Amino acid sequence: MALYIPLLAVIITNFFLTFYLLNRYSNFGRQNLLITISVFISWFFSFNVVFILPLDITSVCNFICNQNHLQPMYLRNNITNNGTDYIGNNQTTTPTISNISLPLSLDHHNFTQIGHNLTASNNSSQIKSNNESQSQQKPTFICAKPWSYVPKNVLQNLWKFIYWSSQLLTWIILPIFQSYSMSGEFTVWKKIESSLKENLKYYCLFGFLFLIFLFYYATKQRLTMESLKIFCISASNTFGLFLLLILLSYGLVDIPRHFLKNYQCNHQYKLNYLYFRIGKINEEKYEANCQLEDLLDELRSYYVKISKENGSRYLMNKLQIIIDKCPESFRNELNESSIDLDLNFELNEKRLVSLNSKINKALQTSHRTEVQYRMLIKQAIHLEEIIKELNDDENSS
């Protein structure tokens, strides 16, 4: 049980870290439970890959060290040079004819026979010496297990579980849940159907490309279950690396440059850069709010039309679902609005679904830009205070 303590400590730490970050950057009460669980699992597995990798490296290094020191010594040190065999640390010299004094009375037959006997005796002595060396040889060094050691079979099964679970989340579950959360439908089954239809075109495109590359691979190598599994893993990793290269192409340059400039402590430069980012995000925030206001005006006209014409209760219930997610200021002014609205249109469920989807995206964009704007303003105020204090110190000195 003690062998699993480092692994359990890492997993438990990652669990609470993921829980904290997910609660920090989202709101459990406002999100769908299934979506929250799927995002939690994906973050949890991603952090586990980062934190379990050092445990795997140290365990493999310990395994390699033990393999190198526990193998038979004579397999590593057996070297023959000029008739001398080095077996372990023992040195034996092979007797040769030139080293033996022979009586002159021996004829050629006796000499040959003696040579054969000497060779056989020498071979038997070498075999005996090898056997004694192997039987007496014991490992003189055993690598100590590091505190982070985890058994090899445990890590192999864990990596397989994390890898294939991540593949399932990446290609099926998360894309479907993402489309599900942004869907404009009003029932669970309708949202699932809409999500599947939206992702079907991507699956068809990826499937078509997969078949093309699979056909090319089949012309070069014989297809088996093992080779097909390797091909699928390679294709998935290639697509992931290509996507990361596209998304991080600018970040790979900008992030090190950003930290380098922060390291130089150029506060005025950072403040000017924050002013630029504030102006840019303020423009995005204004456009997002304008788009949201247009959609809310359209929603208001739907509400007035159904109220005045005594529309069906079914459509009113759907409309109320959309109104409940709108800002509180809009809900308070909905009945008090005296704006002239164009009511010459036909209202049906399809239009409500389209409006609901647009409002979901507009609310998300408005909330994102608002949060980013507040964070940048807070950073700018902090830097302004630092620069002011530094200037005051210089003036006083």
Side-chain angles (χ1 to χ4, degrees):
M1 184 62 185
L3 293 176
Y4 304 102
I5 290 178
L7 182 61
L8 292 176
V10 167
I11 292 176
I12 293 173
T13 303
N14 288 335
F15 179 87
F16 287 106
L17 176 64
T18 306
F19 185 85
Y20 168 76
L21 292 176
L22 191 58
N23 188 41
R24 172 69 176 79
Y25 293 103
S26 67
N27 191 335
F28 287 150
R30 296 177 55 187
Q31 306 297 331
N32 186 281
L33 180 61
L34 290 177
I35 295 176
T36 302
I37 293 175
S38 63
V39 174
F40 177 86
I41 293 174
S42 61
W43 286 19
F44 178 65
F45 283 173
S46 300
F47 289 140
N48 275 330
V49 170
V50 176
F51 288 100
I52 294 178
L53 187 59
L55 304 183
D56 193 2
I57 293 175
T58 55
S59 299
V60 171
C61 290
N62 178 261
F63 176 77
I64 294 174
C65 179
N66 288 328
Q67 288 294 106
N68 290 336
H69 288 87
L70 291 179
Q71 63 181 346
M73 190 71 70
Y74 72 93
L75 291 178
R76 294 186 289 112
N77 297 328
N78 189 11
I79 302 173
T80 303
N81 186 14
N82 295 329
T84 302
D85 292 341
Y86 292 85
I87 304 175
N89 295 322
N90 300 325
Q91 178 176 336
T92 59
T93 302
T94 304
T96 58
I97 300 299
S98 60
N99 297 329
I100 303 175
S101 298
L102 298 175
L104 295 177
S105 60
L106 293 177
D107 59 7
H108 177 73
H109 174 73
N110 293 332
F111 174 79
T112 305
Q113 185 65 33
I114 291 174
H116 285 299
N117 293 337
L118 287 173
T119 303
S121 175
N122 177 52
N123 291 336
S124 62
S125 65
Q126 289 188 32
I127 295 174
K128 182 178 180 180
S129 177
N130 287 339
N131 293 334
E132 291 177 354
S133 175
Q134 294 180 39
S135 61
Q136 295 176 0
Q137 183 65 39
K138 295 182 181 179
T140 58
F141 178 79
I142 298 178
C143 300
K145 291 182 179 179
W147 66 270
S148 58
Y149 177 80
V150 181
K152 181 180 178 181
N153 60 335
V154 175
L155 286 173
Q156 286 181 344
N157 294 330
L158 182 61
W159 284 127
K160 289 179 182 179
F161 177 76
I162 291 177
Y163 181 81
W164 292 112
S165 300
S166 300
Q167 290 287 334
L168 184 65
L169 286 168
T170 302
W171 291 101
I172 299 178
I173 297 178
L174 290 180
I176 292 177
F177 278 179
Q178 183 179 5
S179 300
Y180 176 90
S181 63
M182 301 304 297
S183 175
E185 298 289 345
F186 299 99
T187 62
V188 174
W189 291 111
K190 286 287 186 179
K191 286 184 177 182
I192 294 176
E193 182 182 356
S194 173
S195 176
L196 291 175
K197 288 180 180 179
E198 185 176 348
N199 286 277
L200 185 61
K201 54 184 178 182
Y202 297 107
Y203 292 145
C204 292
L205 175 62
F206 292 147
F208 178 72
L209 295 176
F210 177 81
L211 291 177
I212 291 177
F213 287 111
L214 182 62
F215 177 76
Y216 174 78
Y217 180 76
T219 59
K220 299 296 182 180
Q221 187 172 348
R222 179 173 170 270
L223 278 180
T224 60
M225 289 301 297
E226 188 65 24
S227 62
L228 182 61
K229 184 177 73 172
I230 295 174
F231 175 78
C232 293
I233 294 174
S234 303
S236 175
N237 293 340
T238 302
F239 176 78
L241 292 174
F242 178 73
L243 190 63
L244 286 176
L245 182 64
I246 294 176
L247 296 179
L248 294 180
S249 56
Y250 177 72
L252 291 175
V253 178
D254 185 66
I255 292 175
R257 181 173 58 187
H258 171 73
F259 281 103
L260 181 61
K261 290 176 179 177
N262 285 344
Y263 176 76
Q264 296 173 351
C265 295
N266 190 342
H267 298 297
Q268 188 60 48
Y269 172 83
K270 290 190 288 185
L271 183 60
N272 294 335
Y273 181 64
L274 279 177
Y275 287 155
F276 168 75
R277 291 184 62 190
I278 288 172
K280 185 178 180 181
I281 201 67
N282 187 46
E283 183 179 354
E284 294 180 10
K285 180 168 140 320
Y286 175 76
E287 293 178 356
N289 290 335
C290 289
Q291 183 182 5
L292 180 60
E293 287 294 332
D294 293 339
L295 293 173
L296 293 179
D297 289 340
E298 185 178 353
L299 178 61
R300 184 182 289 109
S301 64
Y302 288 0
Y303 179 80
V304 172
K305 182 178 179 63
I306 294 179
S307 301
K308 286 185 177 181
E309 298 180 0
N310 294 323
S312 65
R313 186 174 183 84
Y314 176 75
L315 292 179
M316 178 57 78
N317 292 335
K318 304 296 183 186
L319 195 66
Q320 191 61 44
I321 294 175
I322 304 176
I323 294 173
D324 291 339
K325 67 179 68 174
C326 294
E328 186 177 358
S329 57
F330 171 79
R331 297 199 301 268
N332 295 334
E333 298 173 358
L334 186 60
N335 295 322
E336 301 174 2
S337 176
S338 58
I339 303 177
D340 254 346
L341 299 173
D342 183 16
L343 305 179
N344 296 325
F345 57 86
E346 181 182 357
L347 184 60
N348 51 38
E349 184 178 357
K350 186 176 181 180
R351 297 191 69 167
L352 289 179
V353 169
S354 176
L355 178 63
N356 188 23
S357 178
K358 293 178 182 178
I359 288 180
N360 287 337
K361 295 177 182 178
L363 287 172
Q364 185 183 40
T365 305
S366 177
H367 179 68
R368 174 179 57 82
T369 53
E370 181 68 29
V371 171
Q372 290 179 342
Y373 180 78
R374 292 178 181 177
M375 291 175 63
L376 292 176
I377 289 292
K378 186 182 297 185
Q379 294 177 15
I381 293 174
H382 179 65
L383 279 176
E384 286 176 349
E385 292 177 353
I386 292 176
I387 293 174
K388 183 179 178 181
E389 292 179 0
L390 291 175
N391 291 335
D392 292 341
D393 292 340
E394 290 179 359
N395 294 332
S396 62
S397 61

